[in-house]
Amino acid sequence: MVIPASARHREVAVAVVCPHVQGLQPVTARTPEGCEECLAAGDRWVHLRLCLSCGHVGCCDSSPNRHATHHFRATNHPVIRSFEPGEAWRWCYVDDTIV
């Protein structure tokens, strides 16, 4: 791609749209009280993540077991969101970015 000379010396904001968020439907958390696997094993977690494909609740990568990432690797469900009160950010594992 050739960038016109008039645009070379100014900042241009480009929004990247993750295709993995298209078509996502609202999901219900399967275990709203905590990480599914940690609850079953009696383990603790640091923060929770909600899979936006199936409603799996897993612990974050700061937690000892990293169940949210394990869930992605097992299912290829690409997008999670924070399941912490007051947080609404989403993360795409495939594109390795906030979406």
Side-chain angles (χ1 to χ4, degrees):
M1 173 195 318
V2 177
I3 299 173
S6 61
R8 287 186 196 143
H9 300 290
R10 62 187 164 139
E11 290 185 32
V12 178
V14 178
V16 177
V17 177
C18 170
H20 302 102
V21 298
Q22 296 175 359
L24 287 176
Q25 300 293 318
V27 296
T28 301
R30 297 189 321 208
T31 54
E33 62 277 0
C35 173
E36 291 183 33
E37 292 85 357
C38 287
L39 286 168
D43 289 338
R44 297 180 313 163
W45 57 85
V46 178
H47 297 287
L48 297 172
R49 307 295 180 239
L50 175 68
C51 174
L52 295 181
S53 294
C54 70
H56 172 269
V57 177
C59 54
C60 71
D61 284 353
S62 295
S63 300
N65 295 307
R66 302 177 180 191
H67 287 123
T69 297
H70 290 297
H71 176 74
F72 161 69
R73 290 183 181 142
T75 63
N76 289 318
H77 293 166
V79 183
I80 59 168
R81 77 165 174 83
S82 174
F83 200 53
E84 293 298 311
E87 294 183 2
W89 58 265
R90 300 180 301 183
W91 178 261
C92 178
Y93 283 107
V94 175
D95 293 324
D96 197 28
T97 191
I98 289 180
V99 294

Coordinates of all heavy atoms in Angstrom, one line a residue:
M1 N 0.8 -1.2 0.0 CA 0.0 0.0 0.0 C 0.9 1.2 0.0 O 1.9 1.3 0.7 CB -0.9 0.0 1.2 CG -1.7 1.3 1.3 SD -2.5 1.8 2.9 CE -3.2 0.4 3.5
V2 N 0.5 2.2 -0.8 CA 1.3 3.5 -0.9 C 0.5 4.5 -0.1 O -0.7 4.7 -0.3 CB 1.4 3.9 -2.3 CG1 2.1 5.3 -2.4 CG2 2.2 2.9 -3.1
I3 N 1.2 5.1 0.8 CA 0.5 6.2 1.7 C 0.8 7.5 1.0 O 2.0 7.9 0.7 CB 1.1 6.2 3.1 CG1 0.8 4.8 3.7 CG2 0.5 7.3 3.9 CD1 1.4 4.6 5.1
P4 N -0.2 8.3 0.7 CA 0.0 9.6 0.1 C 0.9 10.5 0.9 O 0.8 10.4 2.2 CB -1.4 10.2 0.0 CG -2.4 9.1 0.2 CD -1.6 8.0 1.0
A5 N 1.6 11.3 0.3 CA 2.5 12.2 1.0 C 1.8 13.1 2.0 O 2.3 13.4 3.1 CB 3.3 13.1 0.0
S6 N 0.6 13.5 1.7 CA -0.2 14.3 2.7 C -0.5 13.6 4.0 O -0.7 14.2 5.0 CB -1.5 14.8 2.0 OG -2.3 13.7 1.7
A7 N -0.5 12.3 4.0 CA -0.8 11.5 5.1 C 0.4 11.0 5.9 O 0.3 10.5 7.0 CB -1.7 10.4 4.8
R8 N 1.6 11.1 5.3 CA 2.8 10.5 5.9 C 3.2 11.2 7.1 O 3.9 10.6 8.0 CB 3.9 10.5 4.9 CG 3.7 9.5 3.8 CD 4.9 9.5 2.9 NE 4.6 8.8 1.7 CZ 5.0 9.1 0.5 NH1 5.9 10.1 0.3 NH2 4.7 8.4 -0.5
H9 N 2.9 12.5 7.3 CA 3.4 13.3 8.4 C 2.3 13.6 9.5 O 2.5 14.5 10.3 CB 4.1 14.5 7.9 CG 5.2 14.2 7.0 ND1 6.4 13.7 7.4 CD2 5.3 14.4 5.7 CE1 7.2 13.5 6.4 NE2 6.6 13.9 5.3
R10 N 1.3 12.9 9.4 CA 0.2 13.1 10.5 C -0.1 11.7 11.0 O 0.0 10.7 10.3 CB -1.0 13.8 9.9 CG -1.7 13.1 8.8 CD -2.8 14.0 8.2 NE -3.1 13.4 7.0 CZ -4.4 13.3 6.5 NH1 -5.3 13.8 7.2 NH2 -4.6 12.7 5.4
E11 N -0.6 11.7 12.3 CA -1.0 10.5 12.9 C -2.4 10.1 12.4 O -3.3 10.9 12.2 CB -1.0 10.6 14.4 CG 0.3 10.8 15.0 CD 0.3 10.8 16.5 OE1 -0.6 10.2 17.1 OE2 1.1 11.5 17.1
V12 N -2.5 8.9 12.1 CA -3.8 8.3 11.6 C -4.2 7.2 12.5 O -3.5 6.2 12.7 CB -3.7 7.8 10.1 CG1 -5.0 7.3 9.7 CG2 -3.2 8.9 9.2
A13 N -5.4 7.3 13.1 CA -5.9 6.3 14.0 C -6.6 5.2 13.2 O -7.4 5.5 12.3 CB -6.8 6.8 15.0
V14 N -6.2 4.0 13.4 CA -6.8 2.9 12.6 C -7.4 1.9 13.6 O -6.7 1.4 14.5 CB -5.7 2.1 11.8 CG1 -6.4 1.0 11.0 CG2 -5.1 3.1 10.8
A15 N -8.7 1.7 13.5 CA -9.4 0.7 14.4 C -9.3 -0.7 13.7 O -9.6 -0.8 12.6 CB -10.8 1.1 14.5
V16 N -8.8 -1.6 14.5 CA -8.8 -3.0 14.0 C -9.9 -3.7 14.7 O -10.1 -3.7 15.9 CB -7.4 -3.7 14.5 CG1 -7.4 -5.1 14.0 CG2 -6.3 -2.9 13.9
V17 N -10.8 -4.3 13.8 CA -11.9 -5.0 14.3 C -11.6 -6.5 14.3 O -11.2 -7.1 13.3 CB -13.2 -4.7 13.4 CG1 -14.4 -5.5 13.9 CG2 -13.5 -3.3 13.4
C18 N -11.8 -7.1 15.5 CA -11.6 -8.6 15.6 C -12.8 -9.3 15.0 O -13.9 -9.1 15.5 CB -11.4 -8.9 17.1 SG -11.4 -10.7 17.4
P19 N -12.5 -10.2 14.1 CA -13.7 -10.9 13.5 C -14.3 -11.9 14.5 O -15.4 -12.4 14.3 CB -13.1 -11.6 12.3 CG -11.6 -11.8 12.6 CD -11.3 -10.6 13.5
H20 N -13.6 -12.2 15.5 CA -14.1 -13.2 16.5 C -15.2 -12.7 17.4 O -15.9 -13.5 18.0 CB -13.0 -13.8 17.3 CG -11.9 -14.4 16.5 ND1 -10.7 -13.7 16.2 CD2 -11.9 -15.6 15.8 CE1 -10.0 -14.5 15.4 NE2 -10.7 -15.6 15.1
V21 N -15.4 -11.4 17.4 CA -16.5 -10.8 18.2 C -17.8 -10.8 17.4 O -18.9 -10.6 18.0 CB -16.2 -9.4 18.8 CG1 -15.0 -9.5 19.7 CG2 -16.0 -8.4 17.7
Q22 N -17.7 -10.9 16.1 CA -18.9 -10.9 15.3 C -19.8 -12.1 15.6 O -19.3 -13.2 15.6 CB -18.6 -10.8 13.8 CG -17.9 -9.5 13.5 CD -17.4 -9.5 12.0 OE1 -17.6 -10.4 11.3 NE2 -16.8 -8.4 11.7
G23 N -21.0 -11.9 15.8 CA -22.0 -13.0 16.0 C -22.0 -13.5 17.4 O -22.8 -14.5 17.7
L24 N -21.3 -13.0 18.3 CA -21.4 -13.4 19.7 C -22.7 -13.1 20.3 O -23.3 -12.0 20.1 CB -20.3 -12.7 20.6 CG -18.9 -13.2 20.4 CD1 -17.9 -12.3 21.3 CD2 -18.7 -14.7 20.7
Q25 N -23.3 -14.0 21.0 CA -24.6 -13.9 21.6 C -24.4 -13.8 23.1 O -23.4 -14.3 23.6 CB -25.5 -15.1 21.3 CG -25.8 -15.2 19.8 CD -26.6 -14.1 19.2 OE1 -27.5 -13.6 19.8 NE2 -26.2 -13.6 18.0
P26 N -25.3 -13.2 23.8 CA -25.2 -13.2 25.3 C -25.2 -14.6 25.9 O -25.9 -15.5 25.3 CB -26.5 -12.5 25.8 CG -26.9 -11.6 24.6 CD -26.5 -12.4 23.4
V27 N -24.3 -14.8 26.8 CA -24.2 -16.1 27.5 C -24.5 -16.0 29.0 O -24.4 -14.9 29.5 CB -22.8 -16.7 27.3 CG1 -22.6 -17.0 25.8 CG2 -21.7 -15.9 27.9
T28 N -24.9 -17.1 29.6 CA -25.1 -17.1 31.0 C -23.9 -17.9 31.6 O -23.5 -18.9 31.1 CB -26.4 -17.9 31.3 OG1 -27.5 -17.2 30.7 CG2 -26.6 -17.9 32.8
A29 N -23.4 -17.3 32.7 CA -22.3 -18.0 33.4 C -22.7 -19.3 33.9 O -23.7 -19.4 34.6 CB -21.7 -17.1 34.5
R30 N -22.0 -20.3 33.6 CA -22.3 -21.7 34.1 C -22.1 -21.8 35.6 O -22.8 -22.6 36.3 CB -21.5 -22.7 33.3 CG -21.9 -22.7 31.9 CD -21.3 -23.8 31.0 NE -20.0 -24.3 31.3 CZ -19.2 -24.8 30.4 NH1 -19.6 -25.0 29.2 NH2 -18.0 -25.3 30.8
T31 N -21.2 -21.1 36.2 CA -20.9 -21.1 37.6 C -20.6 -19.7 38.0 O -19.5 -19.3 38.2 CB -19.7 -22.0 38.0 OG1 -18.6 -21.6 37.2 CG2 -20.0 -23.5 37.8
P32 N -21.7 -18.9 38.3 CA -21.5 -17.5 38.6 C -20.8 -17.3 40.0 O -20.3 -16.2 40.2 CB -22.9 -17.0 38.7 CG -23.8 -18.2 38.8 CD -23.1 -19.3 38.2
E33 N -20.6 -18.3 40.8 CA -19.9 -18.2 42.0 C -18.4 -18.4 42.0 O -17.7 -18.1 42.9 CB -20.5 -19.2 43.1 CG -20.4 -20.6 42.8 CD -21.4 -21.2 41.8 OE1 -22.3 -20.5 41.4 OE2 -21.3 -22.4 41.6
G34 N -17.9 -18.7 40.8 CA -16.4 -18.9 40.7 C -16.0 -19.8 39.5 O -16.8 -20.2 38.7
C35 N -14.7 -20.0 39.5 CA -14.1 -20.8 38.5 C -14.6 -22.3 38.6 O -14.5 -22.9 39.7 CB -12.5 -20.8 38.6 SG -11.7 -22.0 37.6
E36 N -15.1 -22.8 37.5 CA -15.7 -24.1 37.5 C -14.7 -25.2 38.0 O -15.1 -26.0 38.9 CB -16.1 -24.5 36.1 CG -17.3 -23.8 35.5 CD -17.7 -24.2 34.2 OE1 -17.6 -25.5 33.9 OE2 -18.2 -23.4 33.4
E37 N -13.5 -25.2 37.5 CA -12.6 -26.3 37.8 C -12.0 -26.1 39.3 O -11.8 -27.0 40.0 CB -11.4 -26.3 36.8 CG -11.8 -26.8 35.4 CD -12.4 -25.7 34.5 OE1 -12.5 -24.5 35.0 OE2 -12.7 -26.0 33.4
C38 N -11.8 -24.8 39.6 CA -11.3 -24.5 41.0 C -12.3 -24.9 42.0 O -12.0 -25.4 43.1 CB -10.9 -23.1 41.1 SG -9.3 -22.7 40.3
L39 N -13.6 -24.6 41.8 CA -14.6 -25.0 42.7 C -14.7 -26.5 42.9 O -14.8 -27.0 44.0 CB -16.0 -24.4 42.2 CG -16.2 -22.9 42.4 CD1 -17.5 -22.5 41.6 CD2 -16.3 -22.6 43.8
A40 N -14.6 -27.2 41.8 CA -14.6 -28.7 41.9 C -13.5 -29.3 42.6 O -13.6 -30.3 43.3 CB -14.7 -29.3 40.4
A41 N -12.3 -28.6 42.5 CA -11.1 -29.1 43.1 C -10.8 -28.5 44.5 O -9.9 -28.9 45.2 CB -9.9 -28.9 42.2
G42 N -11.6 -27.5 44.9 CA -11.3 -26.8 46.1 C -10.2 -25.9 46.1 O -9.6 -25.6 47.1
D43 N -9.8 -25.4 44.9 CA -8.7 -24.5 44.7 C -9.1 -23.1 44.8 O -10.3 -22.8 44.8 CB -8.0 -24.8 43.4 CG -7.2 -26.0 43.3 OD1 -6.8 -26.6 44.4 OD2 -7.0 -26.5 42.2
R44 N -8.2 -22.2 44.8 CA -8.4 -20.7 44.9 C -8.1 -20.1 43.5 O -7.3 -20.6 42.8 CB -7.6 -20.0 46.0 CG -8.0 -20.6 47.4 CD -7.3 -19.9 48.4 NE -5.8 -19.8 48.1 CZ -5.0 -19.0 48.7 NH1 -5.3 -18.2 49.6 NH2 -3.7 -19.1 48.4
W45 N -8.6 -18.9 43.3 CA -8.3 -18.2 42.0 C -8.1 -16.7 42.4 O -8.4 -16.3 43.5 CB -9.4 -18.3 41.0 CG -10.8 -17.8 41.6 CD1 -11.2 -16.6 41.6 CD2 -11.8 -18.6 42.2 NE1 -12.5 -16.5 42.2 CE2 -12.8 -17.8 42.5 CE3 -11.9 -20.0 42.4 CZ2 -14.0 -18.2 43.1 CZ3 -13.0 -20.4 43.0 CH2 -14.1 -19.6 43.4
V46 N -7.5 -16.0 41.4 CA -7.3 -14.6 41.6 C -8.4 -13.7 41.0 O -9.0 -13.0 41.7 CB -5.9 -14.2 41.0 CG1 -5.6 -12.7 41.2 CG2 -4.8 -15.0 41.7
H47 N -8.6 -13.9 39.7 CA -9.7 -13.2 39.0 C -10.4 -14.2 38.0 O -9.8 -15.2 37.7 CB -9.1 -12.0 38.1 CG -8.4 -11.0 38.9 ND1 -9.1 -10.1 39.7 CD2 -7.1 -10.7 39.1 CE1 -8.3 -9.3 40.3 NE2 -7.0 -9.6 39.9
L48 N -11.6 -13.8 37.7 CA -12.4 -14.7 36.8 C -12.6 -14.2 35.4 O -12.6 -12.9 35.2 CB -13.8 -14.9 37.5 CG -13.7 -15.6 38.9 CD1 -15.1 -15.6 39.5 CD2 -13.2 -17.0 38.8
R49 N -12.7 -15.1 34.5 CA -13.0 -14.8 33.1 C -14.2 -15.6 32.6 O -14.3 -16.7 32.9 CB -11.8 -15.1 32.2 CG -10.5 -14.5 32.7 CD -10.5 -13.0 32.7 NE -9.2 -12.4 33.1 CZ -9.2 -11.5 34.1 NH1 -10.2 -11.2 34.8 NH2 -8.0 -11.0 34.5
L50 N -15.0 -15.0 31.8 CA -16.2 -15.6 31.2 C -16.0 -15.9 29.7 O -15.7 -14.9 29.0 CB -17.4 -14.7 31.4 CG -18.7 -15.2 30.8 CD1 -19.2 -16.4 31.5 CD2 -19.8 -14.1 30.9
C51 N -16.1 -17.1 29.3 CA -16.1 -17.5 27.9 C -17.3 -16.9 27.2 O -18.5 -17.3 27.6 CB -16.0 -19.0 27.7 SG -16.0 -19.5 26.0
L52 N -17.2 -16.1 26.2 CA -18.4 -15.6 25.5 C -18.9 -16.5 24.4 O -19.9 -16.1 23.8 CB -18.0 -14.2 24.9 CG -17.6 -13.1 26.0 CD1 -17.3 -11.8 25.3 CD2 -18.8 -13.0 27.0
S53 N -18.4 -17.7 24.3 CA -19.0 -18.7 23.4 C -19.9 -19.6 24.2 O -21.0 -20.0 23.6 CB -17.9 -19.5 22.7 OG -17.1 -18.7 21.9
C54 N -19.6 -20.0 25.4 CA -20.3 -21.0 26.1 C -20.7 -20.7 27.5 O -21.4 -21.5 28.1 CB -19.6 -22.4 26.0 SG -18.1 -22.4 27.0
G55 N -20.2 -19.7 28.1 CA -20.5 -19.4 29.5 C -19.6 -20.0 30.5 O -19.8 -19.9 31.7
H56 N -18.5 -20.7 30.1 CA -17.5 -21.3 31.0 C -16.9 -20.1 31.9 O -16.5 -19.1 31.3 CB -16.4 -22.0 30.3 CG -15.3 -22.5 31.1 ND1 -14.2 -21.7 31.4 CD2 -15.1 -23.6 31.8 CE1 -13.4 -22.4 32.2 NE2 -13.9 -23.5 32.5
V57 N -16.8 -20.3 33.2 CA -16.1 -19.4 34.0 C -14.8 -20.0 34.5 O -14.8 -21.1 35.0 CB -17.0 -19.0 35.3 CG1 -16.2 -18.1 36.2 CG2 -18.3 -18.4 34.8
G58 N -13.7 -19.4 34.1 CA -12.4 -19.9 34.5 C -11.6 -18.8 35.1 O -11.9 -17.6 35.1
C59 N -10.5 -19.2 35.8 CA -9.6 -18.3 36.5 C -8.6 -17.8 35.5 O -8.2 -18.4 34.5 CB -8.9 -19.0 37.7 SG -8.1 -20.5 37.3
C60 N -8.1 -16.6 35.8 CA -7.1 -15.8 34.9 C -5.7 -16.4 35.0 O -5.4 -17.3 35.8 CB -7.1 -14.4 35.3 SG -6.3 -14.1 36.9
D61 N -4.9 -15.9 34.2 CA -3.5 -16.4 34.1 C -2.6 -16.0 35.3 O -1.5 -16.4 35.5 CB -2.8 -15.9 32.8 CG -3.2 -16.7 31.6 OD1 -4.0 -17.7 31.8 OD2 -2.9 -16.3 30.5
S62 N -3.2 -15.1 36.2 CA -2.5 -14.8 37.4 C -2.8 -15.8 38.5 O -2.2 -15.8 39.5 CB -2.9 -13.4 37.9 OG -2.4 -12.4 37.0
S63 N -3.8 -16.6 38.2 CA -4.2 -17.7 39.1 C -3.3 -18.9 38.9 O -2.8 -19.1 37.8 CB -5.7 -18.1 38.9 OG -6.5 -17.0 39.1
P64 N -3.1 -19.7 39.9 CA -2.2 -20.9 39.8 C -2.6 -21.8 38.7 O -1.7 -22.4 38.0 CB -2.3 -21.6 41.1 CG -2.8 -20.5 42.1 CD -3.6 -19.6 41.3
N65 N -3.9 -22.0 38.4 CA -4.3 -23.0 37.5 C -4.6 -22.5 36.1 O -4.7 -23.3 35.1 CB -5.6 -23.8 38.0 CG -5.2 -24.5 39.3 OD1 -4.3 -25.3 39.3 ND2 -6.0 -24.3 40.3
R66 N -4.8 -21.3 35.9 CA -5.1 -20.7 34.5 C -6.1 -21.4 33.7 O -6.0 -21.7 32.6 CB -3.8 -20.6 33.8 CG -2.7 -19.9 34.5 CD -1.4 -19.9 33.7 NE -0.3 -19.2 34.4 CZ 0.8 -18.9 33.9 NH1 1.1 -19.3 32.7 NH2 1.7 -18.2 34.6
H67 N -7.3 -21.6 34.4 CA -8.3 -22.4 33.7 C -9.0 -21.7 32.5 O -9.4 -22.4 31.6 CB -9.4 -22.8 34.7 CG -8.9 -23.9 35.7 ND1 -8.9 -23.7 37.0 CD2 -8.4 -25.1 35.4 CE1 -8.4 -24.8 37.6 NE2 -8.1 -25.7 36.6
A68 N -9.0 -20.4 32.5 CA -9.6 -19.7 31.3 C -8.8 -20.0 30.1 O -9.3 -20.3 29.0 CB -9.7 -18.2 31.6
T69 N -7.5 -19.9 30.2 CA -6.6 -20.2 29.0 C -6.7 -21.7 28.7 O -6.7 -22.0 27.5 CB -5.2 -19.8 29.3 OG1 -5.1 -18.3 29.5 CG2 -4.2 -20.1 28.2
H70 N -6.7 -22.6 29.7 CA -6.8 -24.0 29.4 C -8.1 -24.3 28.6 O -8.2 -25.1 27.7 CB -6.8 -24.8 30.7 CG -5.4 -24.8 31.3 ND1 -4.3 -25.4 30.7 CD2 -5.0 -24.4 32.5 CE1 -3.3 -25.3 31.5 NE2 -3.7 -24.6 32.6
H71 N -9.2 -23.6 29.0 CA -10.5 -23.7 28.3 C -10.4 -23.3 26.8 O -10.8 -24.0 25.9 CB -11.6 -22.9 29.0 CG -12.9 -23.0 28.3 ND1 -13.7 -24.1 28.4 CD2 -13.5 -22.0 27.6 CE1 -14.8 -23.8 27.6 NE2 -14.7 -22.6 27.2
F72 N -9.7 -22.2 26.6 CA -9.5 -21.8 25.2 C -8.7 -22.8 24.4 O -9.1 -23.2 23.3 CB -8.8 -20.4 25.1 CG -8.2 -20.2 23.8 CD1 -9.0 -19.9 22.7 CD2 -6.8 -20.2 23.6 CE1 -8.4 -19.7 21.4 CE2 -6.2 -20.0 22.3 CZ -7.0 -19.8 21.3
R73 N -7.7 -23.3 25.0 CA -6.8 -24.3 24.3 C -7.6 -25.6 24.0 O -7.4 -26.3 23.0 CB -5.6 -24.6 25.1 CG -4.6 -23.4 25.0 CD -3.3 -23.7 25.8 NE -2.5 -22.6 25.7 CZ -1.7 -22.2 26.7 NH1 -1.6 -22.9 27.8 NH2 -0.9 -21.1 26.6
A74 N -8.5 -26.0 24.9 CA -9.3 -27.2 24.7 C -10.5 -27.0 23.7 O -10.9 -28.0 23.1 CB -9.8 -27.7 26.0
T75 N -11.0 -25.8 23.6 CA -12.2 -25.6 22.9 C -12.1 -24.7 21.6 O -12.9 -24.7 20.8 CB -13.3 -25.0 23.7 OG1 -12.9 -23.7 24.2 CG2 -13.6 -25.8 24.9
N76 N -11.0 -23.9 21.6 CA -10.8 -22.8 20.6 C -11.9 -21.8 20.7 O -12.2 -21.1 19.7 CB -10.7 -23.4 19.2 CG -9.4 -24.1 19.0 OD1 -8.4 -23.7 19.5 ND2 -9.5 -25.3 18.4
H77 N -12.6 -21.6 21.8 CA -13.5 -20.5 22.0 C -12.7 -19.2 22.1 O -11.9 -19.1 23.1 CB -14.4 -20.7 23.2 CG -15.4 -21.8 23.0 ND1 -16.0 -22.4 24.1 CD2 -15.8 -22.5 21.9 CE1 -16.8 -23.4 23.7 NE2 -16.7 -23.5 22.4
P78 N -12.7 -18.3 21.2 CA -11.7 -17.2 21.1 C -11.8 -16.0 22.1 O -10.8 -15.5 22.5 CB -11.8 -16.7 19.7 CG -13.2 -17.0 19.3 CD -13.6 -18.3 20.0
V79 N -13.0 -15.7 22.5 CA -13.2 -14.4 23.2 C -13.7 -14.6 24.6 O -14.7 -15.4 24.8 CB -14.2 -13.4 22.5 CG1 -14.3 -12.1 23.2 CG2 -13.7 -13.2 21.0
I80 N -13.1 -14.0 25.6 CA -13.5 -14.0 27.0 C -13.7 -12.5 27.4 O -13.3 -11.6 26.7 CB -12.5 -14.6 27.9 CG1 -11.1 -13.8 27.8 CG2 -12.3 -16.1 27.7 CD1 -10.1 -14.2 28.9
R81 N -14.4 -12.4 28.5 CA -14.5 -11.0 29.1 C -14.2 -11.2 30.6 O -14.3 -12.3 31.2 CB -15.8 -10.4 28.9 CG -17.0 -10.9 29.8 CD -18.2 -9.9 29.7 NE -19.3 -10.4 30.4 CZ -19.5 -10.3 31.7 NH1 -18.6 -9.7 32.5 NH2 -20.6 -10.7 32.2
S82 N -13.8 -10.1 31.2 CA -13.6 -10.1 32.6 C -14.9 -10.5 33.3 O -16.0 -10.0 32.9 CB -13.1 -8.8 33.1 OG -13.0 -8.8 34.5
F83 N -14.8 -11.3 34.3 CA -16.0 -11.6 35.1 C -15.9 -11.0 36.5 O -16.4 -11.5 37.5 CB -16.2 -13.1 35.2 CG -17.6 -13.6 35.5 CD1 -18.7 -13.1 34.8 CD2 -17.8 -14.5 36.5 CE1 -20.0 -13.5 35.1 CE2 -19.1 -14.9 36.9 CZ -20.2 -14.4 36.2
E84 N -15.2 -9.9 36.6 CA -15.0 -9.2 37.8 C -16.0 -8.0 37.9 O -16.2 -7.4 36.9 CB -13.5 -8.7 37.9 CG -12.5 -9.8 38.0 CD -12.7 -10.6 39.3 OE1 -12.8 -10.0 40.4 OE2 -12.7 -11.8 39.2
P85 N -16.5 -7.7 39.1 CA -17.4 -6.6 39.2 C -16.8 -5.3 38.7 O -15.6 -5.0 39.0 CB -17.7 -6.6 40.7 CG -17.4 -7.9 41.2 CD -16.3 -8.4 40.3
G86 N -17.5 -4.6 37.9 CA -17.1 -3.3 37.5 C -16.1 -3.3 36.3 O -15.7 -2.3 35.8
E87 N -15.8 -4.5 35.7 CA -15.0 -4.6 34.6 C -15.8 -5.1 33.4 O -16.6 -6.0 33.6 CB -13.8 -5.5 34.8 CG -12.8 -5.0 35.9 CD -11.6 -5.9 36.1 OE1 -11.5 -7.0 35.4 OE2 -10.8 -5.6 37.0
A88 N -15.5 -4.6 32.2 CA -16.3 -5.0 31.0 C -15.4 -5.3 29.8 O -15.9 -5.4 28.7 CB -17.3 -3.9 30.7
W89 N -14.1 -5.3 30.0 CA -13.2 -5.5 28.9 C -13.3 -7.0 28.4 O -13.7 -7.9 29.1 CB -11.7 -5.2 29.2 CG -11.1 -6.0 30.4 CD1 -11.1 -5.6 31.7 CD2 -10.6 -7.3 30.4 NE1 -10.5 -6.5 32.5 CE2 -10.2 -7.6 31.7 CE3 -10.3 -8.2 29.4 CZ2 -9.6 -8.8 32.0 CZ3 -9.7 -9.4 29.7 CH2 -9.3 -9.7 31.0
R90 N -12.9 -7.1 27.1 CA -12.9 -8.5 26.4 C -11.6 -8.7 25.8 O -10.9 -7.8 25.5 CB -14.0 -8.5 25.3 CG -15.4 -8.3 25.8 CD -16.4 -8.3 24.7 NE -16.1 -7.3 23.7 CZ -16.9 -7.1 22.6 NH1 -18.0 -7.8 22.4 NH2 -16.5 -6.2 21.7
W91 N -11.2 -10.0 25.7 CA -9.9 -10.4 25.2 C -10.1 -11.5 24.2 O -10.9 -12.4 24.4 CB -9.0 -10.9 26.3 CG -7.7 -11.4 25.9 CD1 -7.3 -12.7 25.6 CD2 -6.5 -10.6 25.6 NE1 -6.0 -12.8 25.2 CE2 -5.5 -11.5 25.2 CE3 -6.3 -9.3 25.6 CZ2 -4.2 -11.1 24.8 CZ3 -5.0 -8.8 25.3 CH2 -4.0 -9.7 24.9
C92 N -9.4 -11.4 23.0 CA -9.4 -12.4 22.0 C -8.1 -13.2 22.1 O -7.0 -12.6 21.9 CB -9.6 -11.8 20.6 SG -9.6 -13.1 19.3
Y93 N -8.2 -14.5 22.4 CA -7.0 -15.3 22.5 C -6.3 -15.4 21.1 O -5.1 -15.4 21.0 CB -7.3 -16.7 23.0 CG -7.5 -16.7 24.5 CD1 -8.8 -16.9 25.0 CD2 -6.5 -16.7 25.4 CE1 -9.0 -17.0 26.4 CE2 -6.6 -16.7 26.8 CZ -7.9 -16.9 27.2 OH -8.1 -17.0 28.6
V94 N -7.2 -15.6 20.1 CA -6.6 -15.8 18.7 C -5.8 -14.6 18.2 O -4.7 -14.7 17.7 CB -7.8 -16.1 17.7 CG1 -7.3 -16.3 16.3 CG2 -8.5 -17.4 18.2
D95 N -6.4 -13.4 18.4 CA -5.7 -12.2 17.9 C -4.8 -11.6 19.0 O -4.1 -10.6 18.7 CB -6.8 -11.2 17.5 CG -7.5 -11.6 16.2 OD1 -6.9 -12.3 15.4 OD2 -8.7 -11.4 16.1
D96 N -4.8 -12.1 20.2 CA -4.0 -11.7 21.3 C -4.1 -10.2 21.5 O -3.1 -9.4 21.6 CB -2.5 -12.0 20.9 CG -1.6 -12.0 22.1 OD1 -2.1 -12.2 23.3 OD2 -0.4 -11.7 21.9
T97 N -5.4 -9.8 21.7 CA -5.7 -8.3 21.9 C -7.0 -8.1 22.6 O -7.9 -9.0 22.6 CB -5.7 -7.6 20.5 OG1 -5.7 -6.2 20.7 CG2 -6.9 -8.0 19.7
I98 N -7.1 -6.9 23.2 CA -8.3 -6.5 23.8 C -9.3 -6.1 22.6 O -8.9 -5.5 21.7 CB -8.1 -5.3 24.7 CG1 -7.4 -5.8 26.0 CG2 -9.4 -4.6 25.1 CD1 -7.1 -4.7 27.0
V99 N -10.5 -6.6 22.8 CA -11.5 -6.3 21.7 C -12.8 -5.6 22.3 O -13.1 -5.8 23.4 CB -11.9 -7.6 20.9 CG1 -10.7 -8.1 20.2 CG2 -12.4 -8.7 21.9

